[in-house]
Amino acid sequence: MLVALLGLLMRYKILFEFPLLDQKSLQHSHSHFAFAGWVTHTLMTLLIAFLQKHDTLHKIALKKYNLILIGNLICSYVMLISFIIQGYGAISITFSTLSIFISYWFTYVFFKDCKQLEKSSVAIKWFKAALFFNVISSLGTFALAYMMATKNIHQNEYLASIYYYLHFQYNGWFFFACMGLLLDFLKVTNSSNRIYSQSFILLFWSCIAGYFLSTLWLDLPLWIYSITAISAVVQVIVWYLLLKTIVKENKTIFVNLPEYLKYLIVFISLALSVKFLLQLGSTVPAISELAFGFRPIVIAYLHLILLAIISLFLLFYVYANDFVAINKKTILGLILFSLGVIFNEVVLGIQGVASLSYTLIPFINESLFGIAILLYASILWTTFYSKKR
């Protein structure tokens, strides 16, 4: 809800005067809180719930995670406020750095606790890979910090560091953690179809190679470009085979879902399919240069992943597992929010395509502001009417 509010304020500032708040500072607050306060915090909580569910012999002391969660929340909310007030300043940099070390702490404790569980669940290796990507993504942040500290900033290295962090957050930490949650929800085990273990290996290595999809605007050697293009092809094929297997082997689970959750999981699957196809399309150099050269296209792609795939999946998982009570009002809020996500992608896509020919679309910013109101109002509605089980 707070992430959506910050997005709404940014859209408001594009259209109207609001001198009290700086747009760049709002953007930093929006992105840092979305990553640390919403997605990372929720994933940490759900991974702890996974341990609780599978720790049948009660070997794991879960109370130690409370300190990690409290620490992450404090860092998230301090970043939320400090980035708005000072942008990149002493407080915001200190607490964003602290949040990275808290994620290291969580990774260490979670890896240690996983040893106490039976290795029957396929999800464990997806979670471990997710946390591995979360740790290595921080190298991009430290590279940026070094550039700023030494005041030795080169545009290509600066952008490459940002995209490095984003890639291993979106396509590593977020994606692999969500896949682990889905496979555990579907009760997939190591004795299930071989496609699950094969797809893990292929997606893991193609995620590493896939970083260069974000840097195709650089003058990459032919061998790196070739590996990158192959990784994009592999991801599309693996996702197709994995999706086909999941649907075929888990029809009963999906059929028994409430209608609104069926709608959500179908929409998420379509969005993820589009994402993999867009990645494949970006291997064409001309398309890549155009895509990374126009801000609306980049924003549309990032929001496709964060909203249409990750955020909606987390909401799906929370409600499908009855962590939060559902009622007609919250269902309405979720449906309206998902419609807002669709409208947001469509309008950003139109703006991005129009910008390729430098065509101005009338009332485009007003439309995006209206959609931002819908996104905020619907998630506010859902939050207000949600109740703990």
Side-chain angles (χ1 to χ4, degrees):
M1 187 191 76
L2 289 172
V3 173
L5 176 60
L6 290 169
L8 176 60
L9 287 172
M10 285 192 289
R11 285 292 169 198
Y12 180 89
K13 275 185 66 66
I14 291 172
L15 290 170
F16 308 106
E17 287 288 327
F18 199 168
L20 286 174
L21 298 174
D22 177 71
Q23 185 77 333
K24 198 73 178 173
S25 298
L26 273 175
Q27 183 187 320
H28 291 315
S29 176
H30 174 72
S31 59
H32 280 81
F33 193 73
F35 278 51
W38 162 229
V39 179
T40 292
H41 193 80
T42 305
L43 286 174
M44 282 181 177
T45 307
L46 296 177
L47 262 60
I48 296 165
F50 167 83
L51 290 177
Q52 187 178 37
K53 175 183 170 183
H54 290 273
D55 181 27
T56 53
L57 299 176
H58 305 291
K59 294 179 182 178
I60 301 170
L62 293 172
K63 281 189 176 180
K64 60 181 175 287
Y65 285 103
N66 288 343
L67 196 57
I68 297 173
L69 292 176
I70 290 167
N72 187 66
L73 272 184
I74 291 170
C75 288
S76 299
Y77 279 96
V78 172
M79 284 191 287
L80 171 74
I81 297 164
S82 60
F83 272 111
I84 291 174
I85 295 170
Q86 62 176 196
Y88 270 103
I91 297 173
S92 56
I93 290 172
T94 299
F95 279 87
S96 59
T97 305
L98 275 174
S99 72
I100 292 171
F101 288 117
I102 286 171
S103 71
Y104 291 172
W105 182 15
F106 179 84
T107 300
Y108 170 75
V109 175
F110 186 84
F111 267 62
K112 197 174 176 184
D113 283 341
C114 278
K115 292 178 183 177
Q116 305 293 328
L117 302 180
E118 290 184 18
K119 302 294 185 199
S120 59
S121 177
V122 167
I124 292 174
K125 60 186 175 186
W126 289 85
F127 293 148
K128 286 184 174 180
L131 289 165
F132 165 76
F133 287 129
N134 190 26
V135 168
I136 67 168
S137 72
S138 63
L139 296 175
T141 307
F142 290 130
L144 286 171
Y146 175 77
M147 288 181 216
M148 289 179 179
T150 58
K151 294 184 170 32
N152 187 24
I153 301 173
H154 299 285
Q155 184 70 4
N156 283 351
E157 286 86 347
Y158 178 79
L159 288 174
S161 297
I162 291 175
Y163 286 132
Y164 176 92
Y165 171 74
L166 289 174
H167 171 74
F168 286 113
Q169 283 282 299
Y170 278 98
N171 301 314
W173 166 221
F174 297 170
F175 173 72
F176 276 76
C178 288
M179 281 302 302
L181 290 170
L182 176 64
L183 295 176
D184 182 61
F185 174 72
L186 299 174
K187 296 180 173 60
V188 175
T189 63
N190 285 319
S191 59
S192 301
N193 197 310
R194 281 191 308 168
I195 187 67
Y196 297 113
S197 55
Q198 291 171 344
S199 62
F200 170 78
I201 294 166
L202 290 168
L203 288 172
F204 179 86
W205 290 109
S206 60
C207 179
I208 293 173
Y211 161 62
F212 294 102
L213 286 167
S214 305
T215 59
L216 290 175
W217 38 271
L218 292 172
D219 189 18
L220 297 175
L222 181 60
W223 68 273
I224 292 181
Y225 171 77
S226 301
I227 291 171
T228 307
I230 291 168
S231 75
V233 173
V234 166
Q235 286 182 343
V236 170
I237 295 170
V238 170
W239 170 241
Y240 168 74
L241 295 173
L242 189 57
L243 181 61
K244 186 180 173 183
T245 305
I246 287 171
V247 172
K248 184 180 177 181
E249 294 188 349
N250 299 280
K251 280 182 181 177
T252 307
I253 294 175
F254 291 124
V255 166
N256 291 330
L257 285 172
E259 288 300 317
Y260 75 99
L261 288 180
K262 287 180 192 173
Y263 157 77
L264 273 186
I265 200 67
V266 168
F267 176 59
I268 294 161
S269 302
L270 287 172
L272 189 51
S273 301
V274 169
K275 179 252 187 191
F276 282 122
L277 289 171
L278 288 174
Q279 280 184 184
L280 182 59
S282 71
T283 58
V284 179
I287 295 175
S288 177
E289 285 178 25
L290 286 172
F292 285 104
F294 292 89
R295 185 176 173 81
I297 296 176
V298 175
I299 293 172
Y301 179 72
L302 294 178
H303 282 82
L304 172 70
I305 301 172
L306 190 64
L307 286 178
I309 300 169
I310 305 301
S311 290
L312 285 180
F313 175 78
L314 292 177
L315 291 170
F316 165 85
Y317 187 84
V318 163
Y319 285 106
N321 283 280
D322 290 327
F323 289 135
V324 179
I326 196 73
N327 54 59
K328 288 182 180 179
K329 289 178 179 177
T330 48
I331 291 172
L332 175 63
L334 285 172
I335 292 170
L336 289 174
F337 181 76
S338 59
L339 287 173
V341 171
I342 295 170
F343 295 151
N344 193 55
E345 287 303 312
V346 170
V347 175
L348 280 171
I350 291 169
Q351 186 183 33
V353 171
S355 64
L356 298 179
S357 59
Y358 300 98
T359 304
L360 288 175
I361 305 292
F363 304 110
I364 196 81
N365 286 321
E366 287 83 355
S367 299
L368 288 168
F369 177 60
I371 293 165
I373 292 173
L374 174 61
L375 285 168
Y376 173 66
S378 58
I379 206 66
L380 174 65
W381 175 275
T382 305
T383 306
F384 184 77
Y385 285 106
S386 289
K387 288 182 174 61
K388 187 180 174 182
R389 278 283 179 195

